[in-house]
Amino acid sequence: MTIRIDPMSAEGIQRAHTDAAEGIDDLAGSIPKSVDGGEGAPDLTGILAVVADVSGTLAMINRASAEMVTSAILDLQVTDEDVAVTFDQLASEVR
């Protein structure tokens, strides 16, 4: 299976992952440490703790995905440059 993606689209994907990680990190500071939930306060606090933990993992996954896409973009650019050099050499030999 072959997947083709142009560099502009890849950069958009990388940016989306970076923005998602930053958005999650920005919201992490707004999670309350305690909840006035009456008898349900311990359960609500536990739920918030899980949400905070999972959101940290999700942000980390987005950052890693952004790095992988960045690596793919660089590989595409190097490959394109290598192919261009080869075609330039062939063109000069044919002339």
Side-chain angles (χ1 to χ4, degrees):
M1 181 173 141
T2 301
I3 297 174
R4 298 189 190 281
I5 186 166
D6 65 274
M8 294 292 285
S9 296
E11 289 172 8
I13 293 167
Q14 182 270 341
R15 198 168 31 259
H17 281 292
T18 300
D19 291 348
E22 289 173 0
I24 292 167
D25 287 339
D26 290 346
L27 289 174
S30 67
I31 296 176
K33 305 274 188 268
S34 64
V35 178
D36 183 12
E39 292 181 19
D43 292 330
L44 292 172
T45 303
I47 290 169
L48 288 174
V50 170
V51 168
D53 184 48
V54 170
S55 66
T57 302
L58 185 57
M60 180 182 65
I61 290 168
N62 274 290
R63 275 191 284 282
S65 296
E67 289 176 15
M68 285 188 266
V69 173
T70 299
S71 178
I73 292 168
L74 294 173
D75 287 346
L76 284 171
Q77 291 170 342
V78 168
T79 300
D80 285 350
E81 290 169 5
D82 289 346
V83 169
V85 167
T86 301
F87 279 122
D88 287 344
Q89 289 172 347
L90 287 171
S92 67
E93 291 173 10
V94 171
R95 292 180 191 153

